[in-house]
Each structure stands twice: as structure tokens, then as C-alpha cells.
Amino acid sequence: MSTHGPDDAAAAPREKKTRRGAGGITLRDVAKLAGVAPITASRALNTPSAVSPEVLQRVREAVERTGYVPNMLAGGLASNKSRLVAAVVPTIAGPVFLETVQALTEALAERGYQLMLGQSGYRDSREDALLETIIGRRPDGVVLTGIMRSPEGRRRLLASGIPVVETWDLTPTPIDMLVGFSHEKIGAEVAAYLHRRGCRRVATISGDDERALRRHRAFSDAAVKLGMALRGENKVPSVVVPAPTTLGSGRRGVADLLAGHPDIDAVFCSSDLLALGVLTEAQARGIRIPEQLAVVGLGDLSFAADLHPALTTVRIDGTTIGRTAAQFIIDRAEGRPVASPIHDVGFTIVERGSA
Amino acid sequence: MSTHGPDDAAAAPREKKTRRGAGGITLRDVAKLAGVAPITASRALNTPSAVSPEVLQRVREAVERTGYVPNMLAGGLASNKSRLVAAVVPTIAGPVFLETVQALTEALAERGYQLMLGQSGYRDSREDALLETIIGRRPDGVVLTGIMRSPEGRRRLLASGIPVVETWDLTPTPIDMLVGFSHEKIGAEVAAYLHRRGCRRVATISGDDERALRRHRAFSDAAVKLGMALRGENKVPSVVVPAPTTLGSGRRGVADLLAGHPDIDAVFCSSDLLALGVLTEAQARGIRIPEQLAVVGLGDLSFAADLHPALTTVRIDGTTIGRTAAQFIIDRAEGRPVASPIHDVGFTIVERGSA
DNA sequence: ATGAAAGCGCTAACAG
DNA sequence: CTGTTAGCGCTTTCAT
């Protein structure tokens, strides 16, 4: 406004340029109603102990009367804390990560944090795009299922400064924090377990995701060392099926296995669903479990214990993973240092009827 | 600043009070680097067609060089569009809603929206608290699995003005939009189906959630009308198990049922997992399916078709529900009217070996 | 096609 | 314990 127009010198100061005014109740309205400054109303809601009981009372009444709901977008922008945590899973369709996601959601909700869910697919391509939209929300933390392999992704995440928890795997060089277990150790221990149970011709059915393949490899190597492979072979028979794994691929997998190697006496499946498929196919063919064929699954899903025969499987404590990840993120978000940011939750071989 | 201090009249204007400065790259930095005003950089990113190709180029380079990631909290606050959609499920642990959540996540991601996940539990109590935190995020839409029963919840949602899609159910009076199917119709049609197959002594195993119980009731009523209940009885035998349902509760459920009513010839289960439990128990007891006992599940989960015998079940197209809900929300968010905001996706009885 | 100003709703910083 | 002021980083409005 470089020149004054001809209008009266005492003209009312040009009225406030009001914008889209979402129309909603704001903290200002509440404060006005309670007869205090907005910041005081803010304190009454966020740090009740910092205001007088009388003011607290008045503000609460005003909130009640107006039905005010704080705008956390605005709050997050101002305070640089979004109270949002992003989780990235390959797919939510496979039941494997559910327990982790559920525990994560609950543990976060208890502390006033919300979960944003992203699916990366089992191929890496979408992960980078997903990362961009996640970082754009300025979450207080990111939980990854599996470790981030793409160097580009690691860089972005690191650069963003957002606390990151990688899960469901172990690496000496996590981006930031880690809650997981060793897939290699699982493979080796299952092989040893089957060996102790007297199995000598073992095989695997494995999803084609990277972690399952690593379990398979470790299993195969250990089995060879224990003399459970065909003489002269340096690996055990195996079928790879596309992730996410299903009962159907388990049935077909064991059928393929049996066609090529009728003499196998044990199968290590990369998921309980696959194992259920093996049990199903065995039942259909009249193969006795575990006498003719021992079966080991992975996941200890809710149905494993109640199957007939009950499924021997590798239990991963997804709940602990989820809760620990939540704790790590919240500690960081609230400025508490995380003592030991690498946590191995281990695993358990749950011995049941099928092996 | 009511009085001027004694400082020099020509004093430098007291330097900007810099705040927590998250330190990140902002649109300003990008704009400066590109030699344009922030708003121009904003336009280059959001409406590329509104700036000259030359400017577009320079801005893109600046983004590239700086690794700038837009702050969507700030954008959302300014534009009143968060590009966030909230989904509320009873629990993510039951595999029933997974397909819907997955489709929803994907359909939203394709259009640049993110999903926030909330678990309400099967009891209503947590739903209200959840609603508050959801509304606080000012999402562009809310997807509810099941219809909102609490009047308080309906009021809040309505008052918030946020587009709402209720799913997995049908009601003539939705809060806003609806994508679902009739649980009553399912109950009635399954009863008719079993009657056609010659069953005359039917029973149910049902989760204790509200929708499952409605299916049970409709099934029972229809069965009575068709003469499939004991003479003089106005309902069919039934066992209610806690939600979420499991294979184990299916096994125990059918055991209970058989103990009280050894003559039943068909069981309608409120989930495929329950049905799998019935199949398992039957196998353990040597009961022939479907000759001695017909079994019908619900959900058509991935394993249903590959079971032995294959499971006859009610298929709900969760993917269509999810995609349609996403479409509804996005249409609303982008100002397009939703032609018919109530969509019945129906269901299919998938006839397989178990009934 | 580009820019200046204003402000979305909230909270950090600094007084009183 | 309460208030004033100045932004958080972006986009709308209005002008050019």
C-alpha cells in the first residue's frame, strides 16, 4: 500500500483478510470463552499442572461446551512433534507381521501416538516412493519390517534425522535402532533339531523373500554339515514359492518335493501357512506325520497349536518386537536416550506333534 | 513493546527471534536456490502447468540438489487438506479385514494419500477415545469397519464434517457413505443353501461380535422356518466363542456342539478359521466331511480353497470394499460429488467340498 | 506467469 | 502462574 487513497484518513484499518476459515472451533475460541489467553488454554490441555486449578476448570468447561478438538497438524508444526509413527511392512496380507503391527499400534496408542501404515510390497521398488511420502509427514519415528537394504533409502532416512527402528532381522550396521533376531541362527538350529529327532533326508519349502531365503541357506548349510544331504550334494532339496506364502503353495510345494525326492523325511517350511499346506497334502495322500514326514513351520500363528497333529514351529515374539520398537521410538521422541539400541529378541523352537 | 528503550533510534531492527529451527531444508531454501519466490516454487511442485518450463526446470534442480522433502504438516495446515485417511478396525489380528485394509492402503497410496490405522477393539469403549485422536489429525476421510453404533461417536463424526465411509455392514441410516453387505441376508441364504443340500439338523459356531451374532440370528430364524430345528424349538443349537475367532475355538466349539447335540448334520461357522477348526476336530475324531457333517465358513480366506476337503464358504469381496471406500473418500476430498453413497457389494456362497 | 502479504492453529521463547 | 510476541512451513488471496 504505497499511496493512500482518497478515503477518510480515519478509515477503519482494512478488515482482516479472513481465509477459508475451516469454520471449526479453535483454541482461541476456547480461550476466549474461558477468559484466558490462548497459550494458557494450551497449557491447561497439555500441561495441566502448570496452570491454576481454577483456570484448568474453566478451560475444561469451555472445551466441553464447544466440543473443541485440538488440531494436531497445527500443534505438530509448531512444536515439531507430530506424534505420528510410520510403519512399513512388505504386505499386511501375510499374517506374519500382524502381531508386530498390532502390538505397535496398541503400545503407541497408549502413549498418544498414532500409526501410519505403508506397504512396500516384497519388491524394493515401491519402498523409495513410500519413504518420500513418509518423511514428508515428519513422523516422530519410522518402524521398518526388515532391514533397509537400498543405500538410497538409508541415506534419505539418515538425512531426515527421524528415529528409525529396523525389525525382524539382525545386522551389525543398522541405520539407527534394531529389534530383531537372526535368520541364520534359526536355519541352523532347526537343522540341528531335526537331526536330533533322527531325520536324515531333509528339505525346505521357502517363500522367495530375502529373509526366508537366508533361513533356507543357513538350514541347508547346517544340514549338509550334519550329513543330512544326499552324498556329494552341497545343499538340500528345496522348493521356492512366491511370497506371500499360502496353504496352497505349501501343498503344491510338498508335492513337487516328493516327486523329485520321494525319500525325504522332514520339511522345514518358511511359514506356518506353508506347513499347514504340507499337513493338508499329507493327510490327502495318507502320509503319516511325523512318522513318515516331519514338518516344521515358522511363526507360531494362532492356529499352530491346535492343528492335528499340532505344528512344531519356530516362535517369533512379534508382540515383544512391536512393543520394544514403540518404546524405542517414544523414548527418542521424548528425549530419553535409548540405552542399547540393538535388541535381539531371539526365537524358540516350539516342539509339538508334527516333528 | 509499549515504550522505546534508550537504544539508538537507528538501531538495527532486533534480529529475528529464531526458534527451534528443525534445521531442515524448507521451500524457502529451494526457492532461493532457484531464484524465485517461495510461492512460485510451491506452484512448480504442486501445479507444474502453472509455471514456465524454465522455472520448473530450475526448481526441480534445486529440489534435487537440496534433497528437499515438502512438509505435509505445514501444507495440510495451510490448505486444509491433510491427504491422510484414517481406518478403524476392531483388530488387525483377525485376518478378516486384512484384504480390505490392504486394498484401502494401496488405492490410497496410488493417489497420494496415506493411511492411519486405529484399532478399536471389539468392545466399543476405546472407539470414542480413538475417534478424538483421529479427528485431531484432520484426516480427509475416515473408514470404519462396521457401522458406528455409539450415538456419541456419530455426533462427533458428523460435527467434524469429515467424510465417513462405514463398511462391512448395511444400514438405511449411515452417517455419511457406506460400502457393505447384509449380514441378515447371509444368514438366511446359508440356511437355505444347507436346506437344499439336504441338511436338517443345523447348528452354528459364532464369534461374539455384533455382526456375527446377527448372521447367526438370521440363520437360526430361517432354519426354523425351513424346519431345520428340533420340533418345538425356535432356534438352532449354537456355541458362541470370543472374537477374534481361532482354529482352537472352532475345535472346542464343535466338540461342545456335538456333546449336546450328537445328531447335527451341518455347522455354519462365523469365520473360516472356525471352520478350519471344525474340519480339524472332525479329522481327529474320524467324522466324515461333508457326509456326516457339512461345514460352511465365512471369509474365503486364502487357505479355504486348498483345504482338504475344500471349504464351502461365504465370500466377501474385501478388495472391492477397500477400493470403493478409497474412491468415495478421494472423490469427496477432491470436491467431486459421490453419486450413490450407499453401495451393497453383496456376497457369494462358494460351493466346495465341505458342504 | 510471478510475487507480496497474510494467516492456517498452534506452541516456544521470553518476559512479567 | 499468566501473557505477549513471533514464528513453525506452507498456501491462499489479491495484485501485477
Side-chain angles (χ1 to χ4, degrees), chain B residues 235-246:
Chain B
K235 54 185 175 49
V236 304
S238 119
V239 170
V240 174
V241 303
T245 55
T246 66

Side-chain angles (χ1 to χ4, degrees), chain A residues 109-151:
Chain A
E110 279 165 17
R111 311 287 300 270
Y113 290 73
Q114 267 302 114
L115 187 83
M116 266 173 37
L117 189 69
Q119 295 182 113
S120 61
Y122 271 104
R123 331 279 156 233
D124 276 354
S125 57
R126 277 175 57 193
E127 208 164 60
D128 278 9
L130 188 56
L131 233 44
E132 168 112 8
T133 75
I134 286 176
I135 295 174
R137 306 272 176 197
R138 302 296 190 268
D140 290 343
V142 178
V143 177
L144 261 24
T145 29
I147 61 180
M148 170 68 59
R149 317 204 81 72
S150 127

